[in-house]
Amino acid sequence: MKRNFQVLLLLLTGAGLLHIALFSDLYLRYVKPGVRPLLIASGVLLVLLGVIAAARDGLPFSRDEPGHGAHPGHDDHGHDHTKGPRIAWLLYVPALLMLLFAPPALGSYTASRDDTATTSAAGTFPALPAKDPVALSLSEFSSRADWDTGTSLRGRTVRLTGFVTPGTNGTWYLTRLIVSCCAADATALKVEMHGATAPPPDAWVTVTGTWRPTGRVGTDSARPALDTATVERIPEPSDPYKDLPRVTAP
């Protein structure tokens, strides 16, 4: 890769970072909101370095600099020091993807290969609000379904939101992926759905229904499950890794 294309790569990468972090919220598909200032600072720095290098080298055509290139009487072993390795062209792929087609957030493919995260420990949980349906995050519902020995979910109608992950033999799960820093450390929260036909994989839905006891509460045999009453398709949230209940207007 010639030097002028290396400079162009700097500019494209910096512009891509600014595109996903400064001019949109696409960065939330990959990292937590707190990382945004670092992404913006990195994008600005890369663009600035690219502009300085372009002004020095005279893009689009590199100028020969004194002291570079082949030198009579010197043994350069047949190497061209003005070029990088050919495999470096692959670096253009993520840079162009950030600019032209930002890859989607992780979804059912990742969740289906991850065990459900453990979210709490056995004990008595606070009482739920009196009015049904109760909007809960998947993490809170899973904690109560698995570990609440006071069975606060019994007889209550709840509202949960997540994306669809197919299971085996026609089963499906309402799912959330939770990240600590970025998509690379994502862990899955899954609630098995009963009584409704599975929507398409990765579709975002809001589900209402009642807790379906599975296993012995307070032990590792308990699993979160729901007898569904309604399933509503919704748009993907801007921050897909933020596990929040969906509260609707009365």
Side-chain angles (χ1 to χ4, degrees):
M1 182 187 290
K2 293 185 179 179
R3 180 172 174 80
N4 51 345
F5 290 108
Q6 297 171 9
V7 173
L8 181 60
L9 179 60
L10 275 178
L11 292 170
L12 286 176
T13 304
L17 286 174
L18 294 177
H19 169 64
I20 65 171
L22 181 60
F23 303 115
S24 71
D25 56 9
L26 294 174
Y27 75 99
L28 292 172
R29 298 177 179 180
Y30 321 115
V31 295
K32 298 192 74 172
V35 183
R36 186 181 195 185
L38 298 177
L39 293 177
I40 294 175
S42 299
V44 170
L45 179 61
L46 289 173
V47 170
L48 183 60
L49 289 174
V51 169
I52 292 173
R56 183 189 65 183
D57 293 347
L59 282 178
F61 302 104
S62 298
R63 293 194 294 259
D64 291 331
E65 298 182 16
H68 289 271
H71 302 280
H74 287 261
D75 182 11
D76 55 9
H77 307 291
H79 297 297
D80 184 352
H81 298 287
T82 65
K83 299 180 180 179
R86 291 183 179 179
I87 197 172
W89 286 100
L90 294 177
L91 294 173
Y92 270 91
V93 175
L96 291 173
L97 282 176
M98 283 192 294
L99 274 174
L100 304 177
F101 178 74
L106 299 179
S108 60
Y109 179 85
T110 300
S112 64
R113 286 156 179 78
D114 190 17
D115 292 331
T116 301
T118 301
T119 56
S120 190
T124 301
F125 285 58
L128 293 170
K131 187 177 180 180
D132 284 346
V134 182
L136 296 176
S137 65
L138 247 63
S139 57
E140 182 174 3
F141 178 84
S142 298
S143 295
R144 290 176 181 268
D146 288 355
W147 304 108
D148 183 11
T149 54
T151 61
S152 59
L153 291 173
R154 189 177 299 278
R156 302 301 306 273
T157 300
V158 298
R159 180 190 298 118
L160 307 175
T161 297
F163 63 86
V164 176
T165 298
T168 57
N169 300 320
T171 61
W172 62 284
Y173 298 87
L174 192 67
T175 310
R176 284 280 196 167
L177 288 168
I178 310 299
V179 301
S180 299
C181 173
C182 61
D185 60 29
T187 56
L189 286 171
K190 293 185 284 189
V191 177
E192 187 173 357
M193 299 286 109
H194 296 267
T197 303
D202 295 310
W204 280 83
V205 295
T206 292
V207 177
T208 60
T210 55
W211 171 50
R212 181 187 182 104
T214 303
R216 183 180 176 185
V217 176
T219 69
D220 290 337
S221 66
R223 291 290 182 270
L226 194 77
D227 287 321
T228 59
T230 65
V231 179
E232 175 191 358
R233 291 283 296 271
I234 63 169
E236 179 180 333
S238 59
D239 187 350
Y241 303 121
K242 195 169 187 178
D243 182 27
L244 292 175
R246 183 185 177 218
V247 179
T248 59

